[in-house]
Amino acid sequence: MKIPNFEISQVALDDKGCIIQSAESFAAWIGESNENLLSRNFYELITSIDPSWSLVIDQNFHLNSFEKFLPISSTEGESSIGLSLVYCRYETLGVLAISTSLAPHESLRKAFLGDLMKDPRALANTLIRLQKAESRLSDYVSNFPGIFFTQRPDMTFSYLSRGVQKLFPLDYKEMYRNGGLFLEKIVEQDRAHFQRELTSHEKINGTFSLSYRIRIPPADKIIYLLDVRTPIITATNKTLGFDGVFIDITRQAIAEHRLTNSVWREGLATLTNGLVHDFSNLMAGIFSISELYYSMMKKDDPMANGMGQIKKSALQAQKLVRRIIDLHRDKPATRSLHDLKTLLSDQMDLVGILIPPSAKIITKFSKEPMLAYIEETGFRQVILNLVINARDVIAKRGKIKITLRKVSRGDLLTENHRGQQTKVLKDGAEVIISDNGPGIQLDISDKIFDPFFTTKDSNAGSGFGLYNCKLFVEDHKGTIGFNSKPGKGTSFFFYLPLDPRRDDQ
């Protein structure tokens, strides 16, 4: 059976499967004229050419649309070339498109490929299919949320997929030559773990995975990588390198960290709540007795002033205990209407304890009430986080200023570190917490709110304080930012709409 010399040809069939019109290229391949093909049954005609095709199509094929492949027989074995039939059935007729084609993928694996070289069209078809496969693979690699790589034993790379350009836009080319460069990107505390894992698996013929942190220049942003790799081992048990993929799992690490922190807080709250309540009861007793004795004393009693001070201190202690109990409440889904001025004023009791006695705290609150629909505990935690950050950077005689002001629709918020001012779309309130510390360096300004980022020692900060502040503010449809002048201090500010439930303000 000779291969058709046309790329595509068409035949029209009536409702009985007989030819009512055919292209000249099809008639020439059959060796008949168009006139002789009229009214011929297509099934009988095609199976007379190759009886084995009756196994692929049946006599009633013309009743429904279909796609079929008819292999052209080869004496050397199954053919890799054949006819592709695409039949479209309409109300009174059907149109059959016939073209030369390669065998389907599964059949092609078993086919005789020598006949490809006998027909240039078949060879071109093969190259087109390879090009399509390569294009699909390229799209998959480009869109895959990870980086495919091949790494040599000396830590240089022989292959890195395109995603590496987003991760290391300035350094990725050098990683093909300098193996130490990749190791330098791994956070120092994780580097030894990475090298131990590679050493322990390099002779084991199997895929393994590990996770570690890397620093992304130029701002040294930290992300978590899942590294899945397979050693390339020769028959003589020599390791030639690794094939693998890097996947950014920072979001997963954040979620796990927050879950762990939440579980710890629940346990800590259970452990301390009982102690706090017992302490509150003791202070209530001291207050009651001191109040009783104080009421019995005359004004000129030499012990009256001392008893009055005991009474006052016991009352203040009870208020502080109440603030601590409020912070242990874990009801993030519960929001209600609160006066921000009242919440801030109440929080000053705890703020006073956090600030060194020699430091000074200044408050400037608007006199009018500012009612906002917020989650109370989260708001209190935001204030404490920002105050603690300010406390950690001021000197012993430093100053912290807390401002609460009302902003109306169209007003500008405090200027941020980029010199930009946001215009508010709704009436709201702005809280500003300023310090006179050393300020924030410009090179870390853009990663202040990133999770895991901290300028404190590893045992002094988790890198989640400002990140959690950002989550709270954005969850309440607000805005958060900061501005800083090296050597002069920093101001963190956040804006909350007075009632984010309303969209018509």
Side-chain angles (χ1 to χ4, degrees):
M1 168 64 61
K2 66 177 181 178
I3 299 172
N5 57 1
F6 55 77
E7 292 184 6
I8 186 169
S9 189
Q10 292 183 326
V11 176
L13 307 178
D14 61 18
D15 55 2
K16 295 181 180 179
C18 296
I19 299 173
I20 56 177
Q21 189 174 349
S22 66
E24 291 185 3
S25 55
F26 175 76
W29 177 59
I30 297 297
E32 298 279 357
S33 64
N34 282 333
E35 291 77 10
N36 291 339
L37 291 179
L38 294 178
S39 301
R40 292 277 298 273
N41 183 282
F42 184 82
Y43 173 80
E44 294 177 354
L45 174 65
I46 205 74
T47 53
S48 67
I49 297 174
D50 190 334
S52 67
W53 288 347
S54 62
L55 301 175
V56 181
I57 59 175
D58 55 45
Q59 293 182 341
N60 298 319
F61 76 93
H62 59 282
L63 300 179
N64 299 292
S65 299
F66 67 85
E67 292 184 17
K68 298 285 186 181
F69 175 78
L70 303 180
I72 294 178
S73 300
S74 171
T75 55
E76 292 87 349
E78 295 190 48
S79 177
S80 59
I81 306 173
L83 300 180
S84 173
L85 304 184
V86 180
Y87 179 68
C88 292
R89 176 65 188 173
Y90 302 98
E91 292 184 1
T92 58
L93 57 84
V95 177
L96 183 68
I98 307 170
S99 60
T100 56
S101 174
L102 290 180
H105 292 283
E106 291 300 317
S107 301
L108 192 61
R109 290 193 305 178
K110 302 180 292 183
F112 173 65
L113 299 180
D115 52 5
L116 290 178
M117 303 305 296
K118 300 176 184 178
D119 192 303
R121 292 185 303 278
L123 184 59
N125 199 320
T126 303
L127 296 176
I128 290 172
R129 180 174 289 185
L130 289 173
Q131 187 180 40
K132 288 180 179 179
E134 182 181 15
S135 177
R136 290 193 188 100
L137 181 59
S138 177
D139 289 342
Y140 174 75
V141 171
S142 298
N143 296 320
F144 181 76
I147 302 168
F148 293 97
F149 68 87
T150 300
Q151 193 172 34
R152 304 183 184 95
D154 63 357
M155 294 295 103
T156 59
F157 292 89
S158 58
Y159 171 75
L160 284 165
S161 62
R162 201 174 303 168
V164 72
Q165 299 177 24
K166 295 180 180 179
L167 205 60
F168 302 109
L170 302 177
D171 302 325
Y172 74 94
K173 292 182 179 179
E174 185 63 23
M175 289 183 178
Y176 289 99
R177 300 183 293 271
N178 183 357
L181 183 59
F182 177 72
L183 288 176
E184 289 176 5
K185 302 299 181 186
I186 301 176
V187 173
E188 187 176 356
Q189 294 90 330
D190 297 351
R191 204 173 296 159
H193 166 70
F194 171 80
Q195 292 175 314
R196 282 196 305 270
E197 288 293 306
L198 256 60
T199 302
S200 63
H201 287 88
E202 64 180 1
K203 299 297 182 181
I204 301 175
N205 193 7
T207 301
F208 66 99
S209 63
L210 64 157
S211 60
Y212 45 87
R213 296 167 294 173
I214 63 170
R215 296 187 184 275
I216 305 298
D220 281 345
K221 177 182 178 181
I222 293 179
I223 70 170
Y224 276 69
L225 277 190
L226 174 64
D227 183 336
V228 183
R229 55 176 65 206
T230 304
I232 306 171
I233 302 175
T234 67
T236 58
N237 203 33
K238 182 180 179 181
T239 302
L240 300 180
F242 301 90
D243 283 328
V245 60
F246 298 130
I247 302 174
D248 184 349
I249 58 167
T250 305
R251 289 187 177 182
Q252 177 185 333
I254 291 172
E256 290 176 354
H257 186 281
R258 296 188 69 192
L259 179 60
T260 302
N261 188 50
S262 176
V263 172
W264 163 246
R265 284 183 57 199
E266 288 178 6
L268 183 62
T270 303
L271 178 65
T272 59
N273 267 347
L275 298 175
V276 170
H277 280 288
D278 289 344
F279 180 76
S280 178
N281 292 336
L282 288 172
M283 295 312 300
I286 294 173
F287 174 77
S288 299
I289 294 173
S290 61
E291 185 178 38
L292 175 62
Y293 287 169
Y294 184 75
S295 64
M296 295 170 60
M297 291 179 178
K298 295 179 180 181
K299 291 184 178 180
D300 57 353
D301 192 315
M303 297 186 65
N305 288 337
M307 190 58 67
Q309 186 61 45
I310 292 173
K311 172 188 169 184
K312 182 180 178 180
S313 297
L315 182 60
Q316 290 177 337
Q318 282 185 293
K319 289 181 178 180
L320 289 176
V321 168
R322 178 52 52 189
R323 301 289 178 264
I324 295 172
I325 292 174
D326 289 342
L327 287 174
H328 278 85
R329 291 175 182 168
D330 192 13
K331 297 180 180 179
T334 303
R335 299 186 186 185
S336 57
L337 211 55
H338 292 278
D339 183 0
L340 298 183
K341 177 186 174 184
T342 301
L343 289 182
L344 270 175
S345 298
D346 289 346
Q347 203 70 352
M348 289 304 102
D349 292 335
L350 281 179
V351 169
I353 294 177
L354 295 172
I355 304 302
S358 57
K360 186 176 182 181
I361 185 160
I362 305 169
T363 59
K364 184 180 179 182
F365 299 162
S366 177
K367 294 181 179 180
E368 57 185 316
M370 299 184 193
L371 299 178
Y373 191 72
I374 62 171
E375 192 270 302
E376 177 187 356
T377 304
F379 179 82
R380 292 180 183 275
Q381 291 171 344
V382 168
I383 298 301
L384 288 182
N385 275 331
L386 295 177
V387 169
I388 289 171
N389 282 348
R391 177 206 65 186
D392 290 343
V393 297
I394 62 174
K396 290 183 179 181
R397 298 188 179 276
K399 295 180 182 179
I400 295 177
K401 183 178 179 180
I402 303 177
T403 304
L404 172 65
R405 71 182 186 100
K406 186 174 182 179
V407 290
S408 301
R409 180 177 181 177
D411 287 349
L412 295 174
L413 296 179
T414 301
E415 184 179 286
N416 67 15
H417 66 288
R418 294 193 181 96
Q420 302 167 337
Q421 288 183 281
T422 302
K423 183 181 292 186
V424 299
L425 302 178
K426 298 180 181 180
D427 292 349
E430 184 181 31
V431 179
I432 308 168
I433 298 179
S434 306
D435 64 68
N436 62 347
I440 297 173
Q441 299 300 319
L442 293 177
D443 58 344
I444 64 171
S445 295
D446 290 331
K447 54 185 177 179
I448 285 296
F449 294 104
D450 289 349
F452 302 111
F453 176 78
T454 179
T455 57
K456 303 174 185 178
D457 294 336
S458 59
N459 59 348
S462 65
F464 269 81
L466 290 176
Y467 176 70
N468 287 332
C469 291
K470 180 184 177 184
L471 290 182
F472 172 86
V473 173
E474 292 181 348
D475 190 42
H476 285 71
K477 300 183 180 179
T479 302
I480 189 169
F482 75 96
N483 61 58
S484 183
K485 295 181 179 179
K488 294 186 178 181
T490 302
S491 293
F492 278 90
F493 63 89
F494 65 92
Y495 152 82
L496 295 175
L498 288 186
D499 191 348
R501 296 173 299 176
R502 294 178 54 188
D503 297 324
D504 57 348
Q505 288 186 330

